[in-house]
Amino acid sequence: MVRRGVRLARSKGGRAYSTREETRSSLGVAEDSFVVTYAGTMGRLQGLGHIMDAAIDLRDVKEVVIHVRGSGELEESLQAEVERYKLSNVEFFDHCPLEQAAAHMAASDALLVPLADDPIFQKFIPSKLFDSMASGRPVLLSVDGEAREMPIRG
């Protein structure tokens, strides 16, 4: 039994996923934007501070936009950090059904898979990595250990 995994092909109402262009348009993405997306739980184990650090470093690069999709215990504090630093390059999106999240990921230019820096995660591979790789988009990892080696081995 595989409890976590990726569904490579799904459709809704007989129609395949929205096209990349349709999804980007529905998200309000400008044509010249480079969208980097994190989709998932906003909790302590995810190491989402890395995303906020990157957003601060990239705040003057107008073409780069960071999308954060999901919910969790750190959602409000992340949103407060965006407000405190006046980051116009970070947008939050609500948790949504798998099909919608997969379309959002596929419409992104790169995906983020962060994980808290803790020795316990050295042998841990987050399931989000598989979903991200299945999207066909480049994956930016902020992890150590086994998960970091996996994409390199290809």
Side-chain angles (χ1 to χ4, degrees):
M1 171 193 258
V2 177
R3 295 184 58 93
R4 298 210 181 252
V6 177
R7 295 180 182 137
L8 294 176
R10 292 184 61 127
S11 65
K12 186 173 182 179
R15 182 170 182 246
Y17 290 125
S18 301
T19 67
R20 178 176 162 85
E21 293 78 19
E22 288 173 334
T23 301
R24 286 175 74 94
S25 176
S26 72
L27 296 169
V29 174
E31 243 180 76
D32 63 343
S33 291
F34 186 90
V35 178
V36 183
T37 299
Y38 169 80
T41 302
M42 293 182 218
R44 297 186 192 287
L45 300 180
Q46 284 67 41
L48 299 176
H50 300 292
I51 295 174
M52 292 298 113
D53 292 342
I56 291 167
D57 289 345
L58 294 168
R59 74 169 75 185
D60 295 326
V61 182
K62 299 302 179 200
E63 298 81 15
V64 177
V65 180
I66 299 172
H67 285 185
V68 181
R69 178 176 282 284
S71 60
E73 65 177 311
L74 297 182
E75 183 175 2
E76 287 181 13
S77 65
L78 292 171
Q79 290 174 342
E81 208 169 328
V82 166
E83 287 180 30
R84 182 176 58 189
Y85 289 104
K86 297 178 178 30
L87 299 173
S88 61
N89 60 340
V90 179
E91 296 179 43
F92 289 90
F93 297 85
D94 291 336
H95 176 82
C96 64
L98 177 62
E99 291 83 2
Q100 188 178 349
H104 190 156
M105 292 168 70
S108 300
D109 295 293
L111 302 168
L112 296 167
V113 179
L115 198 57
D117 186 16
D118 189 307
I120 199 165
F121 295 130
Q122 292 291 313
K123 297 288 182 190
F124 182 79
I125 300 175
S127 59
K128 181 179 313 322
L129 179 57
F130 300 107
D131 295 327
S132 297
M133 291 169 62
S135 75
R137 309 312 307 159
V139 178
L140 305 173
L141 291 171
S142 178
V143 301
D144 201 5
E146 184 67 23
R148 184 176 54 153
E149 296 298 320
M150 191 176 157
I152 294 169
R153 288 190 302 241

